[in-house]
Amino acid sequence: YAIRSPAAGRIETVAEARHSIGTQALAARIRRDDGSAIEVRAPFAASVEAVAVRAGGHVAAGSELLTLSASPDQVWEALRGLYLIGQADDLPDVDRWSGASDRIGRQAAQTAQAIRTRAERMSNR
């Protein structure tokens, strides 16, 4: 998941690669040209996979700040939710987790099967 800059400015602080951050944790702080600061927060608990900017550097609005990778627990919970309400168009996202660790891979397989069964029932109506 790419976090993008909501505004142009100078990066005051940014999370470090290969570190974990929690939901709503500070991912970056941007100082605008008018002196105001914008705090960019993580939308979910994750690992910081890559950082595209360095503290002190300038960033344009809409440019990538950093990339997050969801924690295994977050992925598992999302798959559980999709098990209940997922649709056929969710299958590519579900299937990409089928080769993951035992727990996540099993949940992905069960979720994919539930979605396919639900889609088949809907098409038979």
Side-chain angles (χ1 to χ4, degrees):
Y1 178 85
I3 294 183
R4 300 197 173 279
S5 178
R10 183 178 51 80
I11 301 295
E12 285 190 338
T13 186
V14 64
E16 294 183 35
R18 296 178 300 280
H19 281 82
S20 295
I21 58 175
T23 302
Q24 293 301 310
L26 182 65
R29 182 177 299 114
I30 302 164
R31 182 70 58 184
R32 291 182 180 183
D33 290 339
D34 68 5
S36 64
I38 297 174
E39 291 188 344
V40 180
R41 301 212 169 256
F44 53 84
S47 292
V48 178
E49 289 295 315
V51 178
V53 296
R54 295 186 187 274
H58 289 274
V59 66
S63 56
E64 188 172 309
L65 297 173
L66 46 94
T67 305
L68 301 179
S69 178
S71 70
D73 286 341
Q74 198 84 11
V75 171
W76 189 75
E77 290 293 344
L79 288 168
R80 283 185 37 187
L82 289 171
Y83 178 92
L84 298 172
I85 63 168
Q87 302 296 312
D89 59 342
D90 295 317
L91 282 170
D93 290 325
V94 172
D95 287 339
R96 76 182 197 129
W97 292 102
S98 62
S101 70
D102 290 342
R103 178 177 177 233
I104 292 173
R106 278 193 309 273
Q107 186 63 51
Q110 292 169 359
T111 298
Q113 183 58 47
I115 291 171
R116 288 183 176 99
T117 300
R118 192 168 28 259
E120 186 177 309
R121 283 187 203 141
M122 296 297 276
S123 69
N124 289 335
R125 288 185 179 183

